[in-house]
Each structure stands twice: as structure tokens, then as C-alpha cells.
Amino acid sequence: MDSSTGVRSDQIIRLRNPSSVQHYPDKLRRIHYVDAETGKSLAFLTNNFTLPALTIALLYQSRWKVECVSVPRRL
């Protein structure tokens, strides 16, 4: 793993909670990423085993930025 990219780990996992396993019994991919700008540690779960870990991390990160901006505030 090249830590200069921000990707700290790329693991294949299975959910262990019985209720979760019932809803999703397949393997998942967990990617741990540290954002260089903010220093935030982020973990992403995906069922995509094809794309590189950095691509997935950047896609999720940009998606979250869009969703955070577009979510209306409640007063």
C-alpha cells in the first residue's frame, strides 16, 4: 500500500452481525483512507472489487461533498 495516496488499507470482509448477514451475506471491500486536506480518517464499504482502492475512495469522497452541500438544513 502506498501511504502517499491516502489509502491506508484495502480489505475483504464479511459482516458478522446475524441481522446484517441475513440482509447481505456476500463479501465486502473495506477501504481505509486519510484525506490529506482535512486529516480525516474515512472508511468506505463497497461491493466493487474491480476498481483500484484510490479510485473508490476519491469517488465516495466527492459524492459525500456533493451530498453534504445539497442537504437542506432544518431549523
Side-chain angles (χ1 to χ4, degrees), residues 9-29:
S9 65
D10 184 4
Q11 304 167 311
I12 296 173
I13 66 164
R14 286 192 184 274
L15 300 175
R16 294 192 295 176
N17 179 294
S19 175
S20 299
V21 171
Q22 196 171 28
H23 292 289
Y24 198 87
D26 298 329
K27 295 183 292 185
L28 287 168
R29 186 176 179 191

Side-chain angles (χ1 to χ4, degrees), residues 26-70:
D26 298 329
K27 295 183 292 185
L28 287 168
R29 186 176 179 191
R30 179 174 52 200
I31 298 166
H32 177 217
Y33 173 79
V34 176
D35 184 345
E37 287 181 23
T38 64
K40 286 185 179 179
S41 179
L42 305 166
F44 305 106
L45 292 178
T46 182
N47 61 357
N48 185 313
F49 293 91
T50 307
L51 292 175
L54 181 59
T55 301
I56 290 172
L58 295 176
L59 286 170
Y60 272 100
Q61 184 184 27
S62 65
R63 178 179 170 194
W64 281 1
K65 284 181 183 177
V66 169
E67 287 180 3
C68 288
V69 170
S70 65

